[in-house]
Amino acid sequence: MGATTALLGIDLGTSAVKAVILDLEGHLLGEGRAEYALLTRRPGWAESIPADWWRATRLAVREARERAPQCQIVGVGLAGQMHGVVMVAADGQPTRAAMLWPDRRAEKTLARFRALPGFLRQRLANPLVPGMAGPLLCWLAEHEPACYARSARALSPKDWLRLRLTARRSTIEMTSSLVTEASDASATLLYDLPADRWAEEVITALGLRSDLLPPLLPSAAQAGTLSSEAAAALELPSGLPVATGAADVAAALLGAGVLAPGTLLLSLGTGAQLVLLCEAPQPDPTLRTHLYRAADGRHWYRMAAVQNAGLVLDWLRRQLHAEWSEVYASLEQVPPGADGLTFLPTLTPERPHYNGPQTGAFVGLRLEHSRAHLLRAALEGVACGIRLALESLPGAGEVGSLLVAGGGSLHPAWRQLLADLLGRPLLSLEAAETTARGAALLGGLAAGVWSESQELVRLAPARSVVTTPGEQQTRCAALYTRYLELLTRGRETGTPVGP
């Protein structure tokens, strides 16, 4: 029996890399995963070592290959965590640790963005978040000028990984590999969304080096080919086409088959994202939610992002030495409302749609509350944060159901809580790992398997209604009201206030 022609997709996340192998009909043939550390060496810092990403990528790809040994890979695509920055020298080597999206060190630097002329601020079309590349570059220029000066490019995480896959030893070839694309570039606070290009006037006004920002290629373009060194490490043929790739949410839209407006996607992982595709760049007038470029080169998407989702649940799970099965079991053991215990999950400051205290808290804690109460309250607090984001997203009220994707969406009891609290049916996809799947599809486009993204419609995973709001919807509405009351009190007093 001959080898199956297939595509490799790599998703570089915050704490783990995932690899999937798809056949040309979009069926999953193999997958792998490997973790690495998120470093918090100082309060408010969030960093990672790019060399760790490469080691984990080798492990994840090999695991996926072992599960699909008869495949012939013909294209490679990438997706990666958004925001943050990887500073590299002209030879592609990082000049410091990568700075990631939860990083808060550039908080004070945001004042420079607020001081921009109004017309320039509006063209960025996004709320100001310190973990985006623009504020982080401003911080580096001020606090680490030697690193800033010796760096040749500021890359997004997936762009560094693609560089590791494709770059040869020649300086000329290395420089040509230092590129990016619009789905990540539009999330830097250095991108002109209406004009669909780097915001040169903003970059000049901030006093940043424009040469740090890479040239733009389409997400589905062939940005290079797999080098012999990378091919040997991954046990793949050298010379394979490698797509430019896309930001994780943009790739997830492709992987989920969301190729036209009209679907509201909820992606659950380390963070949570509520996403709506749109035909034109239409910013939120309040600038509380985000607007980014889609990976198909045709659309944009609106997004309300929640930083305190899986990140917080995993933190609490580890503090309580609980397995994930115990976390979700709490939903069966404790009634809605957790017997008066409320959790505000803001362990890292939240995105601008959130208007409450920027610290977390358990409120209403009593002696009779158990470990299961803490776990249930944490799930409810995260779900309330997702509902708050949903209510802030322009256009979300016009879509009746939610398409749910991501590794944090699989447990039935957790999905039921979300359906009850959000008051909407949840649709499930047959395919898991939509981000890595979208990356693989980009690899197919780069390899010429398909000529343009609309051909991917026939590969869209089937959808089915898996959860509808149930009998606990009223009680969940009451706990959400309680959550909003605590946010109001915390906003007025500067700290959450109990009963």
Side-chain angles (χ1 to χ4, degrees):
M1 186 174 179
T4 302
T5 304
L7 304 165
L8 172 64
I10 302 171
D11 171 23
L12 182 69
T14 307
S15 57
V17 63
K18 302 167 189 173
V20 301
I21 297 174
L22 303 182
D23 68 16
L24 301 191
E25 295 300 315
H27 301 125
L28 178 66
L29 303 177
E31 58 186 325
R33 185 178 189 276
E35 298 182 350
Y36 33 81
L38 172 66
L39 306 176
T40 54
R41 292 184 277 203
R42 295 188 189 181
W45 288 29
E47 297 181 335
S48 194
I49 305 301
D52 292 343
W53 300 345
W54 176 238
R55 282 193 290 269
T57 298
R58 292 169 62 182
L59 292 172
V61 172
R62 286 182 178 180
E63 181 182 353
R65 291 282 289 130
E66 287 170 0
R67 296 183 178 186
Q70 301 303 316
C71 291
Q72 179 184 355
I73 305 296
V74 297
V76 181
L78 297 104
Q81 55 178 295
M82 296 175 69
H83 315 307
V85 68
V86 188
M87 305 298 289
V88 298
D91 63 359
Q93 293 300 310
T95 54
R96 68 173 326 282
M99 305 161 79
L100 306 186
W101 61 269
D103 203 291
R104 307 296 300 182
R105 77 187 74 183
E107 188 76 59
K108 293 181 179 178
T109 303
L110 296 180
R112 294 174 61 180
F113 285 80
R114 296 188 187 100
L116 290 170
F119 75 97
L120 289 183
R121 174 77 181 83
Q122 286 295 320
R123 298 194 73 81
L124 300 179
N126 275 285
L128 303 179
V129 178
M132 292 183 172
L136 291 173
L137 285 173
C138 290
W139 187 92
L140 282 169
E142 180 179 355
H143 296 275
E144 297 184 12
C147 171
Y148 181 84
R150 70 174 179 268
S151 298
R153 285 281 194 268
L155 300 179
S156 70
K158 70 98 175 47
D159 291 326
W160 181 86
L161 183 57
R162 190 194 58 254
L163 175 70
R164 190 66 182 79
L165 291 171
T166 62
R168 273 66 177 177
R169 297 186 183 278
S170 161
T171 301
I172 295 175
E173 290 180 340
M174 182 71 69
T175 302
S176 67
S177 298
L178 297 171
V179 298
T180 192
E181 45 69 54
S183 70
D184 259 328
S186 59
T188 61
L189 286 178
L190 298 173
Y191 197 80
D192 186 327
L193 267 295
D196 200 20
R197 58 173 173 76
W198 289 117
E200 296 290 349
E201 292 176 272
V202 171
I203 296 162
T204 300
L206 293 171
L208 294 174
R209 289 168 45 199
S210 60
D211 64 300
L212 283 173
L213 303 176
L216 296 163
L217 292 179
S219 298
Q222 180 179 316
T225 58
L226 194 65
S227 71
S228 56
E229 178 190 4
L234 300 178
E235 299 178 358
L236 293 171
S238 63
L240 290 177
V242 179
T244 315
D248 52 8
V249 176
L253 287 166
L254 283 182
V258 181
L259 299 169
T263 297
L264 179 56
L265 177 69
L266 169 59
S267 179
L268 290 170
T270 304
Q273 299 86 32
L274 290 142
V275 187
L276 271 175
L277 213 61
C278 50
E279 297 281 1
Q282 301 167 336
D284 178 352
T286 69
L287 291 182
R288 293 185 305 161
T289 57
H290 301 272
L291 178 70
Y292 300 132
R293 202 66 164 97
D296 61 4
R298 296 184 176 192
H299 295 96
W300 289 256
Y301 65 91
R302 298 170 177 156
M303 183 178 76
V306 178
Q307 299 210 157
N308 294 279
L311 182 73
V312 171
L313 295 175
D314 187 51
W315 173 86
L316 183 63
R317 178 190 68 81
R318 288 185 282 106
Q319 304 314 308
L320 297 179
H321 303 286
E323 299 295 328
W324 278 109
S325 59
E326 296 177 79
V327 176
Y328 296 124
S330 70
L331 295 171
E332 306 292 343
Q333 298 164 354
V334 176
D339 291 324
L341 180 62
T342 303
F343 180 57
L344 299 181
T346 323
L347 301 192
T348 185
E350 196 48 88
R351 295 294 177 98
H353 71 267
Y354 173 87
N355 190 13
Q358 293 290 350
T359 54
F362 280 102
V363 182
L365 191 61
R366 301 189 302 272
L367 282 175
E368 60 265 31
H369 286 136
S370 66
R371 186 165 177 261
H373 283 87
L374 296 174
L375 295 172
R376 164 114 202 179
L379 288 164
E380 290 179 345
V382 168
C384 285
I386 293 171
R387 176 167 170 177
L388 185 66
L390 176 65
E391 292 176 349
S392 72
L393 184 64
E398 301 166 15
V399 183
S401 57
L402 282 172
L403 180 62
V404 185
S409 66
L410 302 179
H411 196 279
W414 173 224
R415 287 199 301 244
Q416 187 63 59
L417 171 60
L418 288 168
D420 291 342
L421 213 150
L422 300 178
R424 300 187 185 208
L426 303 184
L427 306 180
S428 179
L429 291 168
E430 281 187 0
E433 303 298 351
T434 52
T435 301
R437 175 184 167 83
L441 296 177
L442 288 171
L445 289 164
V449 174
W450 308 286
S451 61
E452 56 106 15
S453 61
Q454 291 307 304
E455 294 181 44
L456 304 178
V457 170
R458 68 178 186 84
L459 303 180
R463 304 176 185 181
S464 58
V465 179
V466 291
T467 314
T468 57
E471 60 185 18
Q472 301 297 343
Q473 192 174 359
T474 300
R475 297 182 72 176
C476 285
L479 74 88
Y480 182 63
T481 299
R482 168 68 172 161
Y483 168 85
L484 293 179
E485 289 172 353
L486 290 173
L487 294 193
T488 301
R489 294 181 195 178
R491 187 166 61 247
E492 293 171 351
T493 64
T495 184
V497 179

